Amino acid sequence: NAGVTQTPKFQVLKTGQSMTLQCAQDMNHNSMYWYRQDPGMGLRLIYYSASEGTTDKGEVPNGYNVSRLNKREFSLRLESAAPSQTSVYFCASSEGLNEKLFFGSGTQLSVL
Amino acid sequence: AQTVTQSQPEMSVQEAETVTLSCTYDTSENNYYLFWYKQPPSRQMILVIRQEAYKQQNATENRFSVNFQKAAKSFSLKISDSQLGDTAMYFCAFMKLFNYQLIWGAGTKLIIKP
């Protein structure tokens, strides 16, 4: 099984450009998440989707939007990228509440 | 608010040795979950071990075990018979009961030397 698949793996943007990070899971999980990882810090939750049809803000939602397209897919959109959004982005999924997370391999995003 | 502290930014040990990574957390909750995740150079985050706070027994997974001290709010990870493949960043994380958000520590870089 592929598990959690993220695309792209690397991306360079100019300030003000927009882009969408794609994420798909094939484990029939109910819940999906977007995290960012900055150097010297743990992961921080951007948005999550507890179940299909719902999305909620996490710790650092400003500058991002999400869409839970169906049970498998959860996308993250940057409408107007800023240098402060340079980070590694991880998508994750879980069966549900308080269950262990399965992670994708991450997207290295640089905003110049 | 909950916080998670990993006081060892980096550690290194010889292959086959035992190593313990420290984690402390701050919470007023009585029931919660604690996790250790491993992030190898490949970057993918992998669950090592999960502990439910209401269980007194320490969780174990093969060579990995935890020392969970609820009163002291301490959750250390012990790796026995360390292997070169254990080289990675290790993150401690906390989750409240009935909640979706993981609170992460800053990580400990563990290097296993041959």
Side-chain angles (χ1 to χ4, degrees), chain B residues 24-76:
Chain B
T24 58
Y25 57 94
D26 186 26
T27 184
S28 58
E29 304 287 324
N30 188 47
N31 291 318
Y32 46 86
Y33 295 85
L34 295 163
F35 303 81
W36 278 98
Y37 278 87
K38 168 185 176 180
Q39 187 178 37
S42 65
R43 199 168 67 189
Q44 187 152 16
M45 204 71 75
I46 303 163
L47 178 70
V48 175
I49 207 160
R50 175 176 179 263
Q51 174 81 43
E52 293 124 327
Y54 54 87
K55 288 187 177 179
Q56 293 186 341
Q57 186 174 4
N58 288 327
T60 62
E61 285 288 343
N62 300 316
R63 297 183 295 107
F64 298 88
S65 62
V66 296
N67 182 5
F68 173 48
Q69 301 289 328
K70 191 173 182 181
K73 297 180 182 175
S74 171
F75 184 60
S76 60

Side-chain angles (χ1 to χ4, degrees), chain A residues 13-106:
Chain A
L13 294 178
K14 294 181 179 179
T15 297
Q17 288 185 318
S18 62
M19 78 160 296
T20 300
L21 306 184
Q22 306 287 353
C23 176
Q25 52 90 9
D26 62 3
M27 296 172 281
N28 201 36
H29 284 170
N30 291 308
S31 305
M32 299 186 73
Y33 313 79
W34 278 104
Y35 283 90
R36 61 179 286 173
Q37 183 179 28
D38 299 301
M41 299 177 68
L43 278 68
R44 291 183 292 170
L45 183 64
I46 304 171
Y47 271 93
Y48 68 96
S49 171
S51 60
E52 186 179 357
T54 69
T55 61
D56 285 286
K57 295 178 180 180
E59 183 183 357
V60 288
N62 291 343
Y64 306 94
N65 286 300
V66 291
S67 296
R68 183 75 182 265
L69 305 170
N70 48 55
K71 192 171 186 179
R72 291 186 63 249
E73 299 173 285
F74 188 40
S75 63
L76 177 72
R77 183 162 178 83
L78 286 70
E79 290 291 352
S80 179
S84 61
Q85 294 177 306
T86 293
S87 189
V88 179
Y89 290 85
F90 287 95
C91 178
S93 70
S94 69
E95 288 186 1
L97 200 56
N98 291 141
E99 296 296 330
K100 74 175 190 179
L101 270 61
F102 292 80
F103 284 83
S105 56

